[in-house]
Amino acid sequence: MNDLDLDTMLGSEPRGRRAARRRRRRQRRGRFLAPLLAFIVLFGIVGGGGYYAYLWLSDALVPKDYTGQGTGEVTVEIKPGETAADVAQTLERLDVVASARAFTNAVTAAGKSDALHPGTYTLRKRMSAANAVAMLDSGNRLRTTVLIKEGLRASDTLATLAKATGKPVKEFQAAAKDAEALGLPQYAKGVEGYLFPATYEFQPQAKPQQILARMVDRFNDAAQEVGLEAGARKLGYTPHQIVIVASIVQAEAGRHEDMPKIARVIYNRLNREPPMKLQMDSTVMYALGKYGTRATHEETKNPSKYNTYYHHGLPAGPIANPGEHALEAALNPAKGDWLWFVATDPKSNVTEFASTEAEFRRLEQKLNQNSQ
């Protein structure tokens, strides 16, 4: 006898209610059977295709990874803003690591998720992810180190950069003409005087424009530190004129401690009534494309606008790239009434100062004696 016959005999329950009760029983059986069926299907997969399922699960849980140090060389660039996941994709594509997942796991295990620095690195092919992480240390970045000395002129600075980086000097010369792209201050008339002397490290992929822009940035930082614009106004000169003075100080001085006095000599001559020619040998040398601070009488006749023996006032522009000491000296000249200075001892770079022409002549004699 089924439920329907019993209910009919008892006559105790309406038809609709009985139907609802049957549906609930079917739903309970379905909830019980669903996980059972899933288990049966999974068992069938593992049983019938267990090997392939194992491979899939193994790859998901333990990603492919090479072992050892790898072989050969691969150049890898990490660009600014790239994450460990971005770097992982690059390394997998270049076959440095077996899988991106292995690399990201190794980065996390080493605690270096935030320690991947932009730059160019030399790695190896088919190396373990852990070794790849170790070789991406910032100490292993490829870089070119260049020393730009204080007092070096723009033309020689560009040649030095070209030689150090292996890039054509013409590319540096072209880049030097784009003042806006380099970030030159508005008062600058060109790169001369504004390629700040320092030791630089450049990445191999750095372009000439980027290299020069970085040097101009260093100048701008130094100018801000020494208060160039405010100091120039206080002295009654433009910032560009102060850079010109600083470049002469840089070229003429043998020691940092003499720079403020040399700056004072320059200002004393400029402010003298009537104005006195600067007569700086270093400006004559610049006009002639030479280095030095002792011009011959014949050389001082050169009509170049940079020749301060020939023209009154400052030369047409800076004659070198001054360092921070020279900029500070130009902004903070020593107190004194000197009008002349002479490097009396070329061996020790000692410079002596004079307020009268008679004193100046004695210093010249001393120089001649020490030069024999």
Side-chain angles (χ1 to χ4, degrees):
M1 181 180 295
N2 58 29
D3 291 341
L4 179 59
D5 294 334
L6 180 61
D7 291 340
T8 302
M9 290 176 63
L10 295 175
S12 61
E13 188 173 19
R15 184 183 300 273
R17 187 176 297 174
R18 291 196 298 273
R21 189 172 57 182
R22 287 196 297 272
R23 284 195 300 271
R24 287 196 295 271
R25 285 200 296 270
R26 286 196 298 269
Q27 289 172 355
R28 285 195 296 270
R29 287 196 297 268
R31 287 195 296 270
F32 171 76
L33 289 173
L36 179 61
L37 288 172
F39 174 77
I40 292 171
V41 171
L42 178 61
F43 181 81
I45 292 174
V46 174
Y51 175 72
Y52 299 103
Y54 170 79
L55 289 180
W56 181 83
L57 289 171
S58 177
D59 186 58
L61 297 176
V62 183
K64 295 178 182 178
D65 193 6
Y66 295 130
T67 59
Q69 299 290 334
T71 59
E73 286 190 355
V74 181
T75 300
V76 177
E77 179 187 358
I78 298 179
K79 298 178 181 179
E82 284 193 329
T83 64
D86 297 327
V87 176
Q89 293 295 330
T90 300
L91 296 182
E92 181 179 349
R93 176 173 53 81
L94 295 174
D95 199 27
V96 172
V97 297
S99 66
R101 179 75 177 276
F103 179 78
T104 54
N105 286 351
V107 169
T108 302
K112 292 187 175 182
S113 297
D114 298 323
L116 298 180
H117 300 281
T120 302
Y121 301 80
T122 298
L123 278 73
R124 304 185 186 96
K125 279 185 174 291
R126 295 175 172 264
M127 63 191 309
S128 71
N131 282 323
V133 172
M135 288 191 70
L136 286 175
D137 184 87
S138 60
N140 291 328
R141 278 184 296 180
L142 296 177
R143 64 195 80 191
T144 300
T145 302
V146 187
L147 170 62
I148 303 300
K149 296 181 180 179
E150 295 175 339
L152 197 65
R153 296 169 187 164
S155 58
D156 294 317
T157 298
L158 300 183
T160 299
L161 293 170
K163 182 178 180 180
T165 62
K167 303 179 188 299
V169 69
K170 290 184 178 180
E171 292 185 9
F172 284 97
Q173 292 169 342
K177 297 177 182 178
D178 194 341
E180 184 176 354
L182 298 183
L184 282 168
Q186 292 184 348
Y187 51 79
K189 310 298 182 183
V191 296
E192 189 73 89
Y194 297 92
L195 299 176
F196 196 74
T199 298
Y200 293 91
E201 290 184 349
F202 301 114
Q203 297 300 317
Q205 71 274 15
K207 298 179 180 179
Q209 184 183 85
Q210 295 171 319
I211 292 172
L212 297 183
R214 185 174 167 191
M215 299 177 74
V216 172
D217 284 343
R218 287 289 299 273
F219 170 85
N220 290 332
D221 290 341
Q224 186 172 1
E225 289 178 9
V226 300
L228 177 59
E229 295 192 42
R233 287 194 297 269
K234 185 177 179 181
L235 290 172
Y237 292 89
T238 68
H240 184 61
Q241 288 174 322
I242 295 298
V243 174
I244 295 175
V245 172
S247 72
I248 298 174
V249 170
Q250 185 71 69
E252 293 282 351
R255 304 181 305 175
H256 289 159
E257 54 263 41
D258 294 327
M259 287 182 171
K261 289 185 177 181
I262 293 175
R264 172 50 63 193
V265 171
I266 293 172
Y267 290 127
N268 284 347
R269 287 190 169 220
L270 291 174
N271 297 329
R272 190 178 174 87
E273 290 294 341
M276 185 177 182
K277 289 181 180 178
L278 290 182
Q279 295 183 328
M280 298 289 166
D281 289 15
S282 58
T283 66
V284 179
M285 295 292 104
Y286 183 83
L288 297 172
K290 301 179 180 180
Y291 282 96
T293 55
R294 297 190 72 180
T296 66
H297 178 70
E298 193 64 31
E299 288 172 334
T300 62
K301 296 180 181 180
N302 188 301
S304 168
K305 56 186 178 180
Y306 283 91
N307 183 358
T308 55
Y309 276 88
Y310 198 87
H311 300 282
H312 279 90
L314 291 169
I319 63 170
N321 293 306
E324 192 165 336
H325 288 291
L327 288 170
E328 288 179 338
L331 290 168
N332 302 283
K335 294 182 179 180
D337 59 355
W338 312 289
L339 290 171
W340 292 270
F341 62 87
V342 179
T344 54
D345 188 354
K347 294 181 180 179
S348 63
N349 290 325
V350 170
T351 299
E352 296 187 60
F353 297 83
S355 301
T356 66
E357 190 167 356
E359 292 174 345
F360 169 60
R361 297 304 176 194
R362 284 196 294 271
L363 294 180
E364 280 195 320
Q365 290 177 359
K366 189 174 182 179
L367 168 62
N368 291 333
Q369 291 173 356
N370 291 332
S371 299
Q372 293 177 357

